[in-house]
Amino acid sequence: MELTALADIKPFKSEWRIQVKVLHTWKHYTKLSGETLEIILSDAHGTKILASCKKTYFEKFAKKVPVGMWRNIENFSINGPGVSYRPTNHQYKINFIYGTDITPSTLQNDSMFLSLVDFQTIQQGVEDENILIDVIGEVTDLGSLDTVLCYGKERKKIEFSLTDLQGRRIACCLWGKFAESIHANCKAVGGDTVICLLRFVKVGTYRDEVQISNSYDASQIFFNPPIMESEAFLKRDVASNALTLVESEQDKLEREIRRDKWMQYPIRDIAELLSSTQIEQCRVIATIYAIDKDWGWYYFGCKVCNKKVNKISTKVQIVKGNEITTHLWWCEKCDDKVTKVLPKFRIHAWVKDGTGEAYLMLLDWIAVGVIPETAAALLNGSFEELQDIESFPEAVTDLVGKTFMFGIYIESNNVASKGGMYKVGKVWKDPSMLLTGGSTTELWTHSDVGTSNLSGSHANENTVVTPSSKRKQQSNEGEPDISSTTKKQCARVFVKKEKTTKENSSSKKSG
């Protein structure tokens, strides 16, 4: 059977023979199709097409399509490519069938068959945002690696910019393993230049700014790839580079603020917070002056859904001379017994500014942004409930006397009671963030909280146990829904910070 170019295959028959290079593979799951192996192929002309293999044929075909190898593929069906986030612009898609035959090819070509889109085109608007693209640039403005709660699951996230040779910037946001990869790579090289090639990524808009992000596992990421485009970045004149990439700290801060959805919400003092008459979000700058120890400082959450679990039993066995302890828990959300749980923070705190006092709750993915250790580290492997409320770790009690800006959810119960417990959606501890943004400076001018607290210094109050009057006020509220802040929306919240290379070199960036 003669070879046919990918541009010429049509769906009217299945007897085709193509010679292609495997560019990328990943597993994908949908309720309609189940689990599939997705494969991006390119022929020698650079025409790319997506191929799909059902789980039924994994054993037969999966090992025959290693990334980077050329293959001859015969007999396959051809269908429409779908609508959203297509990894190629081909009008059709290949599906492996029972009679598909895959054999090695003698063709050798190391090309990556890139389809790079320049930054100017991206900024002006790509022709079809549903088609994934390739981009390359120097990594700049690298933010912190954060953990956010999205649809009940914790995910890693990082924001940064890619800068081209002309100094144009494109905002980027990567998730999951891609976020961890760029964070680790940039940290490893210190202050050296990092050229990042992103393949099969999507173009979108976030807060009126064009943004690049990965399309689940369909995307790829490469650092300093051995291609001509990378060499152009690395060879450019150092002086010219300095002039092109120079940017003030104020410019960087303003860009971070634009990217942060919480910055669209107004800044309120505590008096305004307590008198709010509508369900909304706002930001409040205040000092923690007491921790409510009655609620403890941690709970155990299911690894699957993150909801609070309750211990059913503890079993101790001797296995090969070693004592093995197994805990069994009940998860209401999963409606099942579970053994895999994680300790998570749940901090109830009283805060104040010059206008009043408020009662806040910080759950795990928020608290880890201001507590230097994780709950698991503080418990040192223990899966026992708190036995003594006076045994709070210093990492928690040290919050007393420190000033932060809190992103707060005002919910229906808060409006009805003109107070109560407010749930926190984000915490800022960076002084530059506290002092930036319109009425923020004015708020500090009229507050009785000293500006020395902006650097996290301790106030005069060292009280940790909640005053009895405050404890009585909260006694009728009951235990909060541990994950209720996620019911309204997928939380895009920077909560778990890991230092970036720039932070290690004393260059401050906001979270």
Side-chain angles (χ1 to χ4, degrees):
M1 191 184 304
E2 292 186 0
L3 290 172
T4 302
L6 287 181
D8 297 328
I9 62 174
K10 310 292 181 185
F12 66 87
K13 68 174 186 177
S14 59
E15 292 182 353
W16 298 100
R17 184 170 183 260
I18 57 176
Q19 188 176 54
V20 290
K21 183 176 183 178
V22 181
L23 299 182
H24 182 33
T25 65
W26 72 97
K27 288 184 178 179
H28 183 61
Y29 176 84
T30 64
K31 290 184 178 179
L32 181 62
S33 304
E35 188 177 18
T36 59
L37 177 66
E38 302 297 299
I39 310 151
I40 299 177
L41 306 170
S42 176
D43 65 13
H45 304 290
T47 302
K48 292 186 281 291
I49 193 170
L50 177 66
S52 185
C53 174
K54 292 182 179 179
K55 189 174 183 179
T56 308
Y57 303 127
F58 276 10
E59 187 174 345
K60 185 177 181 180
F61 297 128
K63 293 182 179 180
K64 294 184 177 182
V65 286
V67 173
M69 302 305 293
W70 284 88
R71 291 292 183 259
N72 294 324
I73 303 178
E74 297 182 34
N75 300 320
F76 44 82
S77 65
I78 301 175
N79 302 96
V83 178
S84 59
Y85 303 131
R86 296 155 47 194
T88 81
N89 62 358
H90 203 289
Q91 60 181 324
Y92 300 119
K93 172 184 174 181
I94 289 174
N95 286 286
F96 291 171
I97 57 178
Y98 179 79
T100 298
D101 186 35
I102 304 175
T103 57
S105 170
T106 57
L107 183 62
Q108 298 294 322
N109 187 330
D110 293 332
S111 174
M112 298 180 73
F113 296 107
L114 297 173
S115 299
L116 293 170
V117 180
D118 66 87
F119 286 18
Q120 185 173 0
T121 299
I122 295 173
Q123 290 167 340
Q124 292 176 348
V126 293
E127 185 175 340
D128 187 349
E129 289 189 355
N130 285 312
I131 296 177
L132 305 183
I133 65 170
D134 301 341
V135 294
I136 190 170
E138 180 180 349
V139 177
T140 55
D141 315 317
L142 184 66
S144 59
L145 180 65
D146 304 317
T147 300
V148 304
L149 194 71
C150 192
Y151 297 111
K153 294 185 178 181
E154 292 184 354
R155 296 184 65 194
K156 296 290 186 180
K157 169 191 165 185
I158 197 167
E159 294 193 5
F160 61 99
S161 295
L162 284 182
T163 303
D164 68 8
L165 290 169
Q166 286 71 45
R168 290 185 288 254
R169 281 180 167 83
I170 292 289
C172 301
C173 177
L174 297 183
W175 296 80
K177 64 182 181 182
F178 299 97
E180 293 175 329
S181 179
I182 193 169
H183 176 265
N185 191 276
C186 291
K187 184 177 180 180
V189 301
D192 292 345
T193 298
V194 175
I195 308 305
C196 179
L197 168 64
L198 295 174
R199 301 209 67 183
F200 313 116
V201 290
K202 57 186 179 182
V203 181
T205 303
Y206 178 64
R207 292 184 60 76
D208 298 323
E209 182 179 38
V210 175
Q211 186 182 74
I212 299 293
S213 60
N214 59 289
S215 181
Y216 298 98
D217 290 338
S219 302
Q220 289 180 301
I221 186 169
F222 301 89
F223 301 102
N224 298 331
I227 57 177
M228 179 178 60
E229 290 80 4
S230 290
E231 294 176 3
F233 280 95
L234 298 174
K235 289 181 178 179
R236 63 184 171 180
D237 182 73
V238 175
S240 174
N241 180 34
L243 289 173
T244 300
L245 299 180
V246 109
E247 181 181 36
S248 70
E249 289 300 316
Q250 182 63 27
D251 289 338
K252 293 179 181 178
L253 184 59
E254 288 177 356
R255 185 172 56 258
E256 290 299 319
I257 290 173
R258 286 199 307 272
R259 292 180 182 177
D260 190 344
K261 71 152 185 140
W262 277 96
M263 287 301 174
Q264 68 182 293
Y265 302 126
I267 287 187
R268 302 271 173 81
D269 58 32
I270 290 180
E272 292 171 324
L273 173 71
L274 298 176
S275 62
S276 179
T277 59
Q278 59 183 350
I279 299 171
E280 59 179 337
Q281 286 105 337
C282 69
R283 292 173 288 147
V284 171
I285 297 175
T287 301
I288 296 176
Y289 76 89
I291 303 293
D292 186 351
K293 289 190 171 184
D294 286 357
W295 288 98
W297 60 272
Y298 66 92
Y299 69 96
F300 291 100
C302 174
K303 268 193 174 182
V304 175
C305 68
N306 287 307
K307 292 282 188 175
K308 181 182 177 182
V309 296
N310 297 300
K311 186 182 288 187
I312 301 174
S313 63
T314 300
K315 185 177 182 180
V316 180
Q317 294 177 299
I318 304 298
V319 180
K320 295 182 179 181
N322 296 319
E323 187 177 282
I324 305 297
T325 302
T326 304
H327 303 281
L328 190 63
W329 314 77
W330 178 260
C331 177
E332 294 287 348
K333 173 71 174 178
C334 298
D335 193 27
D336 199 3
K337 296 175 182 177
V338 296
T339 56
K340 296 181 178 180
V341 302
L342 282 174
K344 298 176 179 291
F345 287 118
R346 180 185 58 194
I347 309 296
H348 290 73
W350 281 97
V351 301
K352 70 177 182 178
D353 65 5
T355 68
E357 303 173 355
Y359 187 63
L360 309 181
M361 180 180 70
L362 290 74
L363 291 180
D364 188 69
W365 55 94
I366 308 301
V368 291
V370 292
I371 298 176
E373 298 183 70
T374 64
L378 292 175
L379 286 173
N380 195 28
S382 172
F383 285 90
E384 299 299 329
E385 290 188 329
L386 184 67
Q387 300 298 319
D388 180 9
I389 63 172
E390 299 304 319
S391 61
F392 272 45
E394 284 188 13
V396 175
T397 58
D398 279 350
L399 292 175
V400 174
K402 292 185 177 180
T403 299
F404 305 99
M405 181 161 68
F406 300 93
I408 294 177
Y409 294 98
I410 303 175
E411 299 182 328
S412 56
N413 62 299
N414 303 123
V415 174
S417 63
K418 298 294 183 183
M421 181 191 69
Y422 293 89
K423 293 164 188 169
V424 176
K426 180 169 180 176
V427 179
W428 295 262
K429 60 180 178 181
D430 189 331
S432 61
M433 294 298 288
L434 299 189
L435 290 174
T436 301
S439 61
T440 313
T441 306
E442 183 179 350
L443 177 62
W444 276 104
T445 303
H446 292 87
S447 172
D448 68 351
V449 180
T451 55
S452 62
N453 282 328
L454 289 177
S455 60
S457 60
H458 289 272
N460 292 330
E461 298 84 6
N462 290 312
T463 306
V464 177
V465 180
T466 304
S468 59
S469 60
K470 300 298 183 186
R471 203 176 302 137
K472 182 178 179 181
Q473 180 178 337
Q474 301 301 329
S475 62
N476 295 325
E477 292 194 12
E479 185 172 351
D481 180 351
I482 292 298
S483 299
S484 61
T485 56
T486 65
K487 292 179 180 178
K488 290 186 170 94
Q489 56 192 338
C490 172
R492 292 172 58 81
V493 179
F494 308 149
V495 292
K496 189 174 182 180
K497 297 183 177 292
E498 300 177 21
K499 287 192 176 181
T500 65
T501 301
K502 292 187 178 182
E503 288 173 328
N504 288 334
S505 60
S506 301
S507 175
K508 295 183 179 178
K509 283 186 67 66
S510 64

